[in-house]
Amino acid sequence: MSTSTTKKSGFDSFNSVLVTLGRGVGGVVNTFYQAGRDTIETIIRNILPFMAFISVIVGIITKTGIGDALAHLIEPLAGSLVGLLGISIFCAIPILSPVLGPGAVIAQIVGVLLGTRIAEGDIDPQYALPALFAINPQVGCDFIPVGLALGEAEPETVEVGVPAVLFSRLITGPISVVIAYFASFGLYAGA
Amino acid sequence: MFTSAFAATMTAVDEPTVEDPGGFFGALADGAEYFIALFQAGGDFFLALVTGILPLLIVLLTAVNALVRLIGPERIEKLGAAAARPGIVWYPVRYLVLPVLAVFFFTNPMAYTMGRFLPERFKPAFYDSAVSFVHPITGLFPHANPAELFVYLGIAAGITQLGLPLGDLAIRYLLVGMVVILLRGILTEFITARLMARRTAQEGASA
């Protein structure tokens, strides 16, 4: 009698271990599967369309020779600290920054253009880091009221917040380029 | 990569197998070839992007998405309440730890909802700080802002074509990004405070 109960309870605990294990593994597998599903959806909805868009622009720019003309324009700017500071101040001008912001489309196109110039050796690879910050002081400037609304801000806060962020960018934009410039020492030094 | 394919199309154009038609139709044919070549160059670039970037991106995005799901965003929300406290110690929490975690776990644009835990006077600064991090994070964690990857990827592609490693650039981009968002948060909070004070003074004068 007693042996049968211990056997039964032993079987029960083994059973419950199996159930817990099965549930845990199932949960993890399900999480990864769902993550994969999210990933593919992101790729199809966000990444591939942008790749197609960028490809059309790059194809036209490289084949027509506009790329070379643009390169002569960009090179002196992107290849020196002063030029990069100029780009960052331009991007941070309070009237221009909300215009340059949407979808970061302009920053992305300039990024690709600079990338092709770096690949061809016109711009020192070390300048990649400050350049990343130079083309970015306008980030999110088109989105301030929406972003603040997402944070449940009062309308009064939005009224103050929009100019506060825009003016702050005018100062922090160039500062970020300088920080990035000094942080880029030793980057690809051997190349 | 696309330049070599590009060169191949160029040589194909250089070696015609039939005699070129002259005159009006010849010009038309040249125009048509030029037109197609524009998009051929774009197509080669697209192929290079898809085969060069997508495989790694898909695996990485899946792993990070799973990690975010396993940890669960609700744990980050607890931190939001703590970050509202005054004092100099809480600046890095408010404008460094909170935005970084918010962007990592909630991604662009849902990260900005974390602002709701902060008092009104900190909200613009928090938004500024968080939104400034959505690009520096993409170097290592592209899941946070998949629609705007090319700010980094565009420049990174150039580095790759030179045969240089990207890890150093990605990590420096992330670290400098962290310094910049902290600075931006502090400065924007200061400017917001000034503007709010001026506004209340004006209202007091008009009343």
Side-chain angles (χ1 to χ4, degrees):
Chain A
M1 186 74 186
S2 63
T3 49
S4 84
T5 39
T6 46
K7 252 183 194 169
K8 195 165 194 285
S9 70
F11 178 75
D12 271 355
S13 64
F14 179 64
N15 208 12
S16 73
V17 165
L18 272 187
V19 168
T20 326
L21 189 75
R23 200 174 282 158
V25 169
V28 170
V29 169
N30 196 35
T31 305
F32 271 86
Y33 183 64
Q34 192 57 44
R37 189 179 288 187
D38 288 350
T39 302
I40 296 303
E41 198 182 299
T42 309
I43 299 271
I44 289 174
R45 284 217 340 235
N46 290 324
I47 299 179
L48 276 177
F50 201 85
M51 282 183 171
F53 162 69
I54 279 275
S55 300
V56 172
I57 304 244
V58 166
I60 291 174
I61 282 179
T62 52
K63 197 75 205 316
T64 52
I66 298 174
D68 292 327
L70 274 178
H72 291 302
L73 206 71
I74 292 176
E75 258 175 61
L77 284 174
S80 71
L81 178 60
V82 179
L84 287 173
L85 281 175
I87 295 180
S88 72
I89 291 170
F90 180 79
C91 291
I93 293 172
I95 299 165
L96 285 176
S97 52
V99 180
L100 293 172
V105 172
I106 292 174
Q108 298 191 75
I109 291 175
V110 176
V112 171
L113 277 179
L114 288 179
T116 52
R117 288 299 116 192
I118 289 174
E120 301 200 352
D122 297 334
I123 297 172
D124 200 12
Q126 192 204 320
Y127 279 101
L129 189 64
L132 280 167
F133 285 93
I135 60 176
N136 225 14
Q138 80 287 352
V139 56
C141 279
D142 56 309
F143 202 67
I144 305 169
V146 187
L148 285 174
L150 283 173
E152 293 170 12
E154 305 286 332
E156 293 78 26
T157 311
V158 177
E159 265 177 56
V160 175
V162 173
V165 172
L166 292 182
F167 285 128
S168 165
R169 292 300 171 87
L170 204 52
I171 303 168
T172 54
I175 291 178
S176 69
V177 175
V178 174
I179 296 174
Y181 178 76
F182 285 109
S184 72
F185 286 163
L187 182 66
Y188 307 124
Chain B
M1 192 166 176
F2 81 97
T3 42
S4 63
F6 178 70
T9 41
M10 285 301 290
T11 46
V13 173
D14 286 344
E15 296 161 11
T17 46
V18 286
E19 205 178 321
D20 268 339
F24 177 66
F25 285 104
L28 261 188
D30 284 348
E33 270 176 15
Y34 183 73
F35 181 74
I36 291 300
L38 285 183
F39 300 106
Q40 185 59 48
D44 292 336
F45 188 74
F46 183 73
L47 190 66
L49 288 180
V50 169
T51 55
I53 293 169
L54 272 194
L56 170 71
L57 204 59
I58 289 175
V59 179
L60 183 63
L61 282 177
T62 306
V64 179
N65 279 341
L67 182 74
V68 169
R69 278 171 178 274
L70 287 175
I71 294 175
E74 30 334 310
R75 292 183 201 195
I76 309 305
E77 298 194 344
K78 287 180 194 156
L79 185 75
R85 287 176 226 173
I88 196 120
V89 198
W90 293 98
Y91 274 96
V93 176
R94 202 154 55 226
Y95 303 127
L96 185 64
V97 181
L98 188 62
V100 168
L101 292 178
V103 172
F104 185 89
F105 285 97
F106 295 93
T107 75
N108 181 34
M110 290 317 287
Y112 316 130
T113 57
M114 289 296 286
R116 71 182 186 275
F117 295 109
L118 301 173
E120 292 293 320
R121 66 183 188 282
F122 296 153
K123 280 178 182 173
F126 172 77
Y127 168 77
D128 198 8
S129 183
V131 83
S132 297
F133 199 60
V134 299
H135 292 146
I137 199 175
T138 54
L140 282 180
F141 303 109
H143 75 285
N145 195 8
E148 297 171 10
L149 280 180
F150 275 88
V151 177
Y152 171 75
L153 276 184
I155 288 186
I159 302 286
T160 313
Q161 281 182 24
L162 286 178
L164 296 170
L166 280 181
D168 204 4
L169 179 67
I171 198 82
R172 284 179 199 226
Y173 192 27
L174 191 80
L175 293 178
V176 176
M178 286 178 173
V179 176
V180 169
I181 65 169
L182 178 61
L183 267 179
R184 235 168 228 177
I186 293 171
L187 187 73
T188 308
E189 186 187 308
F190 176 74
I191 297 177
T192 310
R194 295 296 295 268
L195 289 177
M196 277 183 166
R198 202 164 71 181
R199 170 181 269 270
T200 44
Q202 273 174 357
E203 274 168 10
S206 64

